[in-house]
Amino acid sequence: MNLLKKAAFTDLLKGMKITLKTMFKPTVTVHYPFEKVPPRKRFRGIHALKLNPDGSYRCEACYLCAEMCPSNVIDMEMTEGENGEKELVDFTVDLTRCLFCGLCVEACPRDAIVMTDIYEFSQYDIKKLVLHKEDLLELGRYYQKWERERER
Amino acid sequence: MESFKIVIDGKECEAFAGDTVLEVAERNGIVIPVFCYHKELRPEGACRVCLVEVEGAPRLVTACTLKAMPDMVVKTNTERVKRARAGVIELILNNHTLECPICDKSGECELQMTGFRNGPKKSRYREKRREKDIVIKGPLIEIDNDRCILCRRCIRMCGENMGNRVLGILNRGYKAYISPFNGDFLEGGCEHCGSCVDVCPVGSLLDRAFKYKDRPWRMDKTWTTCSLCGSGCTIEVDSYHGKVKRVVGRIGVNRGHNKGYLCVRGKWGWDIIYSEKRLKEPLLRQGDSLVKVDFEKAVEVLKEKLEGREVNLFLESSLTSEELTKIRDVFGGKAVSDSYGYYKLLRGIASITGALNTSLFSSIYSSDVVFVLGDFIEEFTPVIATLLRLAVIQKGKRLIRLGTFPSKLDSVSFSTLLVPQEEIIDTLKHLIVGTFDSSYQSGNKEIDSVAKSLRGKKLSFVVGGNVPFSVESEEIGKTVAFLADRAGAPLVAIPPKANSLKVVELFDLVEPSNLKGEVNVLINCELERDFPGVELPSADFTVIFTPFYTPEVSQADLVIPIELGLEKRGTFKGIEGELSLDSVLETPFSLLEVLKYLPSKGISSKEKQVPLIKEPGKKVLHRKRELLLTVLPNRTGWNSVSYYSENVVKVSGKRELLLNSQELREPKLVSLRVENKELQVQAVPDASVPKGHALLRVERFTRDISSLLRGNFPFLSGIKCEILEA
């Protein structure tokens, strides 16, 4: 029996059966730098600051996100704006320390800080990993566009 | 004092007659939430959040106003009390805006804290929230009435403790809001002491310089000593990432002798650190211009120029004791200082007591009657004036003041003797006899009644304000010290500058005309401000150590930047013994760092001896037809803050000459003449200025005032002058 099995190459054929089955299916492997996987809906990528529809900052610099942060990533500067309202001067997110837990997003009372789907942010210069207000607002515009598309 | 026992929450507590239940509970570690009660203020019972249950009483009572009585049984934690508390907080929160994320108070807000601990879990209120939408913006203080809970702490602080009565409640009932009486802080007479901002339990009264600048909980808090006047207040400097954000006094928490009370200089003058006129590098003269040089080069030039030469040392008295010791070591012990007038006063006192020193300020608290001599204490040392006021209204001392001009202290003083400036010494002499001899008649009823109220009491004496700058300062010192010595009472001479006492102790202070050196060295001073009426002596070389681009920089050969008071570590010899400075700020330049490189002259310290005379002083001022001029810097003046602080300049006032309303009928431009110098100035009639006196209020000392006062240094008061038509 054993000998017969060996002579007929049944094991090999079994394996070849799976090969034959999957040969005509679409490939699963993603060629990463050339192809990308769209992240899931609640993916936590790098941060962004949303803007109000009229273009003003949504962030009121209440510092709650920074207070919540377990690894001291966020820092901000604030001042009194020209019309007597609180204005954000600078908002820094130090990605070298961030562990993407998302607690800052939970803490935000104005839904201003969000996490985008961007996961590729490696840099040659470590200073570029500290995001400032302009970078975050740029990301915020990207996020809001993405958000609108997602809802559609 | 006899004590008795009361029971709070089953705990037996010791109470004294006059204590409220809240005070007893606080001493025993039982927490009762409060809004309108404040340690430094008179209890009011407005907010009703401190309700407690007392056995035998039908209703709940407010602990802050309830006096403790023997065998009282108080419960602070029953279900009934908790429900009442939560109800009160619910009602307060109904109309309180939910702006915590942007409010500057959040994090140190008492409503936030009390609301979390004792408040209801949710609100049952369905109506629309009341929106008053009244924001009153002053130059330095802003009132946001939406956040106000009408506890009236600010009103009591302003009206009772500070004596200004600027703030009040406008409208009634539902529409009530806090405002200065005519909506304008400056017009309402606000001194901008910042105490109302300090005691506000919510974020209704705001410091405009700090508004939206930072979050209270994330800042580094440093306790240091203010170096801007002789009060030597303990202040808390809040900074973030090495940048000062605000200065707070923390009334009720502060452990310094100032108890947290501040003035406009201490509270808002911190921004001189970030003044545009701050000097950043050493400057060296090359030809006609000053060029920037590096630190090593500056020290090298300085070393070379100082070698073997005699120095004209000009010294400002808000340097730390460590710096002063080093300065004496390097430049020698002969100096001209702005404490010269104070030195004269102390010398007068020392000729009776034998020591160039003053009693501690706290010694007035162990006396019954405080005799204050001097005018304008609230201008020169504002916090000392506040403390004298509080000694009356909180500790029940009797205040008797002798002076020439009316003062805010008169509203709380037991009696005030206002005599012309030339008669102050005579009046003091009458008091010397009258205080100890009941049969003595001076011929003046007021003096006799004051002498009577001094007789047989435990006395203390305070000399300050413009006395160190008076022409008669030394003689006044002798006379008042003679009176204090006979009464066996402590005598407090209030120094005008933060470290005046140490300057007097370390240096031989001389007249500016006695300086014959070859090198001028100016440390931390400005000639016009600190030495009005003095010209820079001609010398081969002029070195200026200064934090700012002062007007003298143009005459200098070498300018070296130094740090400011808030950036220093060290000690002051102040009115309350040794006061320490601390700082978290870093500066690239330091005075001690420069002095380290300079060779020491090795001057041995010797105790200064003042011959004992034990005689009252003699009258110096004699007036015929002239007026006696007093030049008075405003409360903001006479410090670097009035020149370089943007905050303080907003409230600095203006220059005007005040004359008695009988001598001047209506405001007009006049020419003020001192000897042969003239100054055109706007004169205003003022009923409070006594006849025969002229009061020149200045926001800061400038060149024209300095030249008017030429040759009068260090005197600012009692200068003979005439008024001519412009």
Side-chain angles (χ1 to χ4, degrees), chain B residues 39 41 46 62 139 142 155 190 217 280 282 325 364 404 422 426 454 465 469 485 488 515 539 573 634 653 712:
Chain B
K39 217 162 134 190
L41 299 171
T62 49
E142 180 174 320
I155 296 172
C190 179
W217 66 84
K280 302 219 166 55
T325 316
I364 70 159
T404 309
E422 69 271 17
D426 287 349
L454 292 176
F469 303 98
D485 192 46
L515 289 178
K573 187 178 176 190
N634 282 343
N712 278 306

Side-chain angles (χ1 to χ4, degrees), chain A residues 76-87:
Chain A
M76 58 184 90
E77 283 287 315
M78 60 214 90
T79 190
E80 191 184 351
E82 269 170 28
N83 51 2
E85 285 182 354
K86 200 171 185 178
E87 205 179 275

Side-chain angles (χ1 to χ4, degrees), chain A residues 62-63 67 75-76 78 86, chain B residues 101 212 215 217-218 240:
Chain A
C62 67
Y63 208 70
E67 201 57 31
D75 194 4
M76 58 184 90
M78 60 214 90
K86 200 171 185 178
Chain B
Y212 299 155
R215 310 298 292 166
W217 66 84
R218 71 169 189 176
Y240 187 63

Side-chain angles (χ1 to χ4, degrees), chain A residues 108-132:
Chain A
C108 187
R110 292 286 184 269
D111 193 21
I113 190 165
V114 285
M115 284 180 144
T116 59
D117 59 343
I118 299 172
Y119 50 86
E120 299 167 298
F121 52 91
S122 53
Q123 297 283 354
Y124 286 108
D125 188 359
I126 197 165
K127 278 179 194 154
K128 286 185 185 162
L129 283 174
V130 181
L131 301 182
H132 289 272

Side-chain angles (χ1 to χ4, degrees), chain B residues 636-654:
Chain B
T636 57
W638 200 48
N639 289 104
S640 41
V641 290
S642 62
Y643 297 73
Y644 305 108
S645 164
E646 281 175 29
N647 291 340
V648 172
V649 163
K650 285 179 196 162
V651 294
S652 64
K654 57 181 190 292

